[in-house]
Amino acid sequence: MEKSRLEAFSDGVFAIVITLLILDIRFPEVEYNRFGETLISVVPRILAYVMSFVIIGLYWVIHHNSMHAIKKTDRGFLWLNILLLLCVSFIPFPTSLVGRYPFQAGPIIFYGLTLIACNAVGYVMLVYVYYHPHLAVAEFSKQYMRSHTPNYVIVNGAYLGAILLAGTFPLLSYLIYIAVVILLIVFLPKLDDGINYQVE
């Protein structure tokens, strides 16, 4: 199967999910003399929105780049992609919880588990292509796997650390989530994997 329909469908889902994030931010009907305090009460939801917007955007960039390593798809890969989109489309829910209860352990843990699930499925897709080499371009190799595997291990390890710290140091958990995203944005493009990411 050609990958064009998979890419078009995935882009559509990412666009919808990233739009849904803003729907949780509502400014209550209050008298203007309460505007300041009400605005402050909405700030956690705005910050949760920004964090998740960037994270989903990062997932889209990684998904877009990874498609350059794919030549065609099969039924198994399509269903794995569906599973990835399922996990990504779930992100607005824990984002809503984090916005409402910003310093409670439960929402922070739920948020981290969702991100770990997204990353785990993404890695399974990579492994699937590795064992079905006819789906990949010629440059896809053991070196590609070696260079990408540590990223998944380190990122999910960091998220696990954030989950474990959620009960005692919730602010540190957020800092870990943010630091991981910043590091991925900065260093992921420098990863030498042998795949040409230029648009043909």
Side-chain angles (χ1 to χ4, degrees), residues 2-196:
E2 295 298 324
K3 64 177 183 178
S4 57
R5 292 191 64 187
L6 178 146
E7 291 177 295
F9 177 73
S10 299
D11 286 349
V13 172
F14 274 106
I16 292 171
V17 172
I18 212 165
T19 302
L20 289 176
L21 290 172
I22 195 63
L23 299 181
D24 189 59
I25 301 178
R26 293 284 187 274
F27 196 88
E29 293 285 343
V30 296
E31 297 294 331
Y32 187 73
N33 59 5
R34 295 183 56 201
F35 177 83
E37 63 181 279
T38 305
L39 182 61
I40 292 174
S41 70
V42 178
V43 167
R45 296 189 183 190
I46 295 175
L47 294 177
Y49 161 77
V50 172
M51 182 171 67
S52 290
F53 190 99
V54 175
I55 287 175
I56 294 173
L58 180 61
Y59 280 131
W60 177 80
V61 170
I62 293 172
H63 186 274
H64 172 74
N65 286 347
S66 66
M67 286 299 104
H68 287 280
I70 305 300
K71 183 169 56 178
K72 57 183 179 179
T73 65
D74 61 8
R75 189 176 298 273
F77 188 83
L78 289 175
W79 279 110
L80 285 174
N81 192 74
I82 290 290
L83 183 58
L84 174 66
L85 296 177
L86 171 66
C87 294
V88 171
S89 64
F90 191 73
I91 291 177
F93 179 61
T95 300
S96 175
L97 296 180
V98 165
R100 295 179 188 181
Y101 315 101
F103 295 105
Q104 300 300 317
I108 297 174
I109 292 171
F110 204 11
Y111 193 88
L113 290 174
T114 302
L115 298 183
I116 288 176
C118 292
N119 295 338
V121 176
Y123 185 69
V124 170
M125 292 176 69
L126 190 65
V127 173
Y128 183 87
V129 173
Y130 178 74
Y131 285 103
H132 297 78
H134 63 283
L135 301 178
V137 297
E139 297 95 336
F140 191 95
S141 64
K142 289 183 179 180
Q143 179 57 37
Y144 187 97
M145 288 292 294
R146 288 197 205 98
S147 58
H148 279 76
T149 297
N151 293 327
Y152 286 94
V153 174
I154 293 171
V155 168
N156 274 0
Y159 287 155
L160 181 59
I163 289 171
L164 295 176
L165 292 169
T168 51
F169 302 103
L171 184 58
L172 185 55
S173 296
Y174 287 121
L175 292 176
I176 291 173
Y177 292 146
I178 294 170
V180 168
V181 173
I182 292 174
L183 289 174
L184 286 175
I185 291 174
V186 172
F187 291 108
L188 198 60
K190 299 177 182 179
L191 186 63
D192 182 18
D193 51 32
I195 303 296
N196 178 15

